[in-house]
């Protein structure tokens, strides 16, 4: 595992499965045969060398008559699959009362559809393995639970025009992505803006940025680039990001103008 937190979760899950299996008087091979897995797979799960699938946990719960106790571990296991940097960001997003994001290269992760996200990871170089791609896609989509939170946080996004025109994954993927943005743009706690390419003055030339205002009143920044991902908590640096983001929003199209612009792009796609 890439970090101790994930490893601890999987060791706990593996230990629980082993205890239930032994209590049922089954060997690893017998449990594997009963749930459709090989002995080596069961052994790897118990030793925290393999992440069990939801089906593995559900079938083990049924065969071992665990009464839902093993199946209840699915959420913990799913989160352990996510990269540490994603889990850390998701924890912060769960505490926000306001979030603002500026995307200059692709559609912001919280706005992405599954197929758009998958297309992004499929074109990464060096190439990702299929299971690694699915791991990252699942992690990104899980963060979108923020849209279901109540009370709802205030969410604002500014997207560069080019990110809404570039057909990553193909034109149909882009079209469905634009439709998703239009759908989210109707939410009362959401404001989506477009930064036109023809702007002569632009405060976002420093690249992608994100601001997260937390329940305790503090604000942190998030910055991501090639092979780099960091949180910014120094008040002076956060103030700089807040100033830049405010200027970016003032230079972009208004939310109403932006949705009309995106609707026009959708019709052209």
């Amino acid at each position: 595992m890439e970090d101790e937190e994930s490893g601890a979760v999987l060791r706990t899950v593996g230990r629980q499965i082993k205890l239930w299996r032994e209590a049922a008087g089954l060997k690893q091979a017998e449990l594997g045969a009963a749930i459709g897995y090989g002995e080596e797979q069961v052994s790897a799960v118990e030793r925290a060398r393999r992440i069990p699938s939801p089906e593995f946990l559900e079938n083990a719960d049924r065969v071992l008559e665990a009464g839902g106790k093993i199946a209840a571990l699915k959420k913990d296991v799913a989160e352990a699959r996510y990269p540490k940097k994603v889990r850390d960001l998701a924890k912060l997003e769960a505490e926000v009362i306001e979030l603002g994001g500026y995307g200059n290269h692709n559609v912001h992760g919280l706005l992405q559809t599954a197929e758009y996200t998958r297309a992004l990871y499929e074109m990464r170089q060096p190439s990702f393995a299929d299971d690694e791609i699915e791991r990252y896609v699942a992690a990104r989509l899980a963060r979108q639970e923020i849209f279901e939170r109540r009370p709802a946080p205030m969410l604002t996004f500014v997207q560069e025009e080019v990110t809404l025109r570039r057909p990553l994954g193909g034109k149909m993927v882009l079209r469905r992505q634009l439709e998703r943005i239009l759908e989210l743009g109707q939410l009362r706690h959401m404001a989506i803006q477009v930064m036109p390419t023809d702007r002569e003055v632009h405060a976002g030339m420093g690249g992608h940025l994100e601001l997260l205002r937390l329940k305790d009143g503090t604000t942190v920044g998030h910055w991501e680039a090639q092979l780099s991902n960091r949180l910014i908590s120094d008040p002076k640096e956060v103030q700089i990001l807040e100033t830049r983001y405010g200027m970016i929003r003032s230079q972009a199209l208004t939310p109403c103008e932006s949705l009309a612009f995106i609707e026009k792009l959708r019709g052209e796609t």
Side-chain angles (χ1 to χ4, degrees):
M1 295 305 300
E2 67 177 52
D3 62 87
E4 183 57 29
E5 186 178 352
S6 284
V9 170
L10 296 183
R11 285 192 294 273
T12 298
V13 171
R15 186 161 54 247
Q16 287 296 313
I17 292 173
K18 181 179 180 180
L19 289 172
W20 280 99
R21 176 180 60 78
E22 292 177 340
L26 296 179
K27 295 181 179 179
Q28 290 177 339
E30 293 172 325
L31 174 60
I35 65 176
Y37 290 84
E39 178 182 359
E40 290 185 1
Q41 291 173 302
V42 174
S43 175
V45 168
E46 291 186 353
R47 291 181 293 121
R49 298 296 179 85
R50 183 187 179 97
I51 302 175
S53 67
E55 294 76 20
F56 183 106
L57 296 173
E58 290 170 356
N59 292 337
D61 188 280
R62 173 178 50 80
V63 170
L64 298 175
E65 298 181 354
K69 293 181 175 64
I70 294 176
L73 299 170
K74 287 189 294 183
K75 185 175 186 297
D76 295 318
V77 171
E79 291 177 353
R81 287 172 57 89
Y82 305 156
K84 185 178 186 303
K85 65 180 182 180
V86 176
R87 296 201 312 273
D88 291 344
L89 182 57
K91 288 177 183 177
L92 280 176
E93 289 173 344
E95 295 296 317
V96 301
I97 58 173
E98 185 178 343
L99 181 149
Y102 163 64
N104 68 331
H105 196 62
N106 50 54
V107 172
H108 191 284
L110 289 176
L111 304 178
Q112 291 176 12
T113 64
E115 54 188 355
Y116 184 95
T117 301
R118 187 171 291 106
L120 285 175
Y121 284 114
E122 285 177 346
M123 64 183 69
R124 286 289 181 93
Q125 296 297 329
S127 300
F128 284 177
D130 288 345
D131 60 342
E132 192 173 10
I133 291 173
E134 294 309 313
R135 178 180 175 226
Y136 276 94
V137 172
R140 180 158 295 179
L141 295 182
R143 289 171 49 208
Q144 296 181 9
E145 292 179 357
I146 193 172
F147 298 132
E148 309 301 324
R149 273 184 43 200
R150 296 295 181 271
M154 181 63 196
L155 305 171
T156 64
F157 299 93
V158 181
Q159 288 291 151
E160 281 292 331
E161 177 183 339
V162 67
T163 68
L164 305 173
R165 291 185 179 275
R166 184 175 290 124
L168 300 179
K171 285 193 174 182
M172 288 309 299
V173 171
L174 175 61
R175 181 181 178 86
R176 286 189 284 268
Q177 177 61 72
L178 295 177
E179 290 171 348
R180 173 60 173 166
I181 294 174
L182 288 169
E183 175 188 340
L184 292 171
Q186 302 303 317
L187 298 176
R188 289 196 300 273
H189 61 286
M190 174 87 76
I192 297 174
Q193 296 176 253
V194 176
M195 176 67 80
T197 303
D198 64 4
R199 289 293 192 258
E200 295 183 4
V201 180
H202 192 335
M205 291 292 98
H208 163 94
L209 69 86
E210 191 170 55
L211 286 164
L212 304 95
R213 185 163 297 161
L214 308 179
K215 293 177 181 178
D216 64 5
T218 62
T219 300
V220 297
H222 177 241
W223 179 84
E224 190 171 357
Q226 294 278 348
L227 305 178
S228 180
N229 179 77
R230 98 180 162 99
L231 291 173
I232 301 166
S233 57
D234 180 88
K236 292 182 179 180
E237 293 185 341
V238 170
Q239 188 175 47
I240 292 172
L241 294 182
E242 289 179 318
T243 299
R244 288 179 182 171
Y245 187 61
M247 288 298 298
I248 290 170
R249 292 199 66 192
S250 71
Q251 294 164 345
L253 298 177
T254 68
C256 287
E257 292 170 338
S258 296
L259 292 182
F261 184 86
I262 296 170
E263 181 65 55
K264 179 175 178 293
L265 291 181
R266 186 187 68 85
E268 297 172 355
T269 303

